[in-house]
Amino acid sequence: MFDDVDGPEQKTLLRLLIIVGIGLPILIEVVTFGSMMGHHLTGGTGGEVAPETPTAEPAGAGVGDPILESANVSARIDAASVVTADEGWEFTLTVNVTNTGSDPTAVRLDSVTARNGETIAESASTGQLPVNQTADVTKSWLLPPGERPDTVSVTVFVYPDEGSVQSTQYTVALGDIPVSNR
């Protein structure tokens, strides 16, 4: 088979072709295997930036968020928690209220609705707040076991000098409130 190869140039060319013929497929297999192992071990994408998976923003208010859009008060959630217990999950909400209107106001937390649709109607109020005064209102509701709060019903009362008390009711959607065992 190699009887007709004469001279050193032809032998060098023949050796080079044999090395390329065997070495190139081996090199391709090593690079492919190394790339697969790199992806498997590091989760890498070969230098490409993987697009981020969009994370759904929790709909609703959480701690630190304003909750009322009334011209008479400014209110924000100061604290919110859900604590598990055998008899149910206790949802506690604290709202900081400032009277920003020109008449005395009050804010009442009326009821909470769980994600299963059950409404627990118990209330707590700031009491009447003079202009530019701030107060906190805190209320706890016992939700069914395993349930988290979905909305809270809030009523704003305005006490004008002349005239009757005006009230406006709001339904505030709540975001993900942390659950703990305490």
Side-chain angles (χ1 to χ4, degrees), residues 62-63 77-82 91-94 174 177-178:
V63 175
I77 296 176
D78 265 359
S81 66
V82 176
F91 168 54
T92 303
L93 179 67
T94 300
L174 298 170
I177 306 296

Side-chain angles (χ1 to χ4, degrees), residues 34-50:
S35 176
M36 287 187 330
M37 289 305 293
H39 286 281
H40 178 72
L41 295 175
T42 64
T45 59
E48 299 173 9
V49 176

Side-chain angles (χ1 to χ4, degrees), residues 67-77 93-101 103-111 123-130 133-139 141 152-159 165-170 172:
I67 61 166
L68 297 178
E69 296 166 6
S70 169
N72 297 311
V73 297
S74 167
R76 76 171 188 287
I77 296 176
L93 179 67
T94 300
V95 176
N96 179 271
V97 179
T98 302
N99 181 353
T100 57
D103 294 312
T105 61
V107 172
R108 183 178 69 200
L109 303 177
D110 291 318
S111 62
S123 63
S125 176
T126 60
Q128 198 168 344
L129 289 174
Q133 293 296 310
T134 300
D136 288 335
V137 58
T138 300
K139 180 64 186 151
W141 295 270
V152 64
S153 178
V154 181
T155 303
V156 176
F157 297 95
V158 178
Y159 302 93
V165 176
Q166 302 165 357
S167 66
T168 307
Q169 189 168 20
Y170 298 90
V172 179

